[in-house]
Amino acid sequence: MLPTILPGDEIVIGVDYYHFFPMQRGDIVIVDFNVDPAVRVKRLVGLAGDKVYLTDEGDLAVNDEIILTHPSEKPFTSDSFNVFKIIYPSNEAIIPSNKVMVISDNAAAGFDSLDYGFIDSKFIIGKVIEIIPSPKNDSNAGEFNFIPSKSNSD
């Protein structure tokens, strides 16, 4: 999630947050893709019912707002956009009920909705409530010790 979360930063996660508040575009979320033991930090960019499409210029838009510019203008490859085109040949889709779209702030990091499509909202396991900056730059970029907060219902 560079540059939003830097190596060595700590994050505070509200695991129960979405039990009380609705998901919103722009939220930084913790996602368990259920494909490996790692959980990942992503930005929520699309909700059920949102229209997602590639513009004629190749930019990614959600509800007519460009959220990611064409790869030729960014330091990442167009592979993800090509996968999106394969998943959605018309270059546009409406996010289905109970699904969301997540992307990484660091587009080169991949492993997000551009790579495999929309995800089930049940895989969102919490919201990043706070980012605590590291007093020093650390070399373990992207590695977080995930410790869920205790639920109030426990």
Side-chain angles (χ1 to χ4, degrees):
M1 280 294 293
L2 293 168
T4 305
I5 301 174
L6 300 175
D9 287 354
E10 295 184 15
I11 55 177
V12 177
I13 303 163
V15 176
D16 291 336
Y17 186 87
Y18 293 122
H19 292 270
F20 304 102
F21 303 100
M23 293 182 187
Q24 295 184 17
R25 279 177 228 89
D27 285 355
I28 300 173
V29 296
I30 305 300
V31 184
D32 182 352
F33 290 104
N34 208 23
V35 295
D36 59 35
V39 293
R40 302 183 192 273
V41 181
K42 300 293 176 188
R43 185 168 305 274
L44 185 63
V45 296
L47 303 169
D50 287 348
K51 177 183 174 184
V52 179
Y53 62 96
L54 293 176
T55 67
D56 292 339
E57 295 78 27
D59 299 333
L60 181 68
V62 176
N63 296 334
D64 298 325
E65 179 183 342
I66 293 174
I67 62 166
L68 194 60
T69 57
H70 188 272
S72 65
E73 300 172 16
K74 294 285 185 179
F76 58 94
T77 69
S78 62
D79 291 346
S80 290
F81 279 54
N82 291 336
V83 171
F84 185 88
K85 289 178 183 181
I86 292 168
I87 297 171
Y88 309 105
S90 68
N91 286 346
E92 79 173 48
I94 302 295
I95 300 176
S97 173
N98 297 318
K99 302 281 184 182
V100 296
M101 182 175 194
V102 296
I103 61 174
S104 178
D105 282 0
N106 178 3
F111 203 75
D112 57 25
S113 290
L114 292 175
D115 297 312
Y116 52 81
F118 308 127
I119 64 165
D120 196 308
S121 57
K122 72 180 179 184
F123 294 132
I124 305 291
I125 58 175
K127 176 183 176 178
V128 174
I129 304 297
E130 183 178 0
I131 301 168
I132 303 167
S134 173
K136 61 179 180 159
N137 198 357
D138 196 44
S139 63
N140 54 349
E143 294 180 15
F144 297 96
N145 292 323
F146 176 66
I147 304 171
S149 63
K150 287 273 186 191
S151 169
N152 291 337
S153 61
D154 289 345

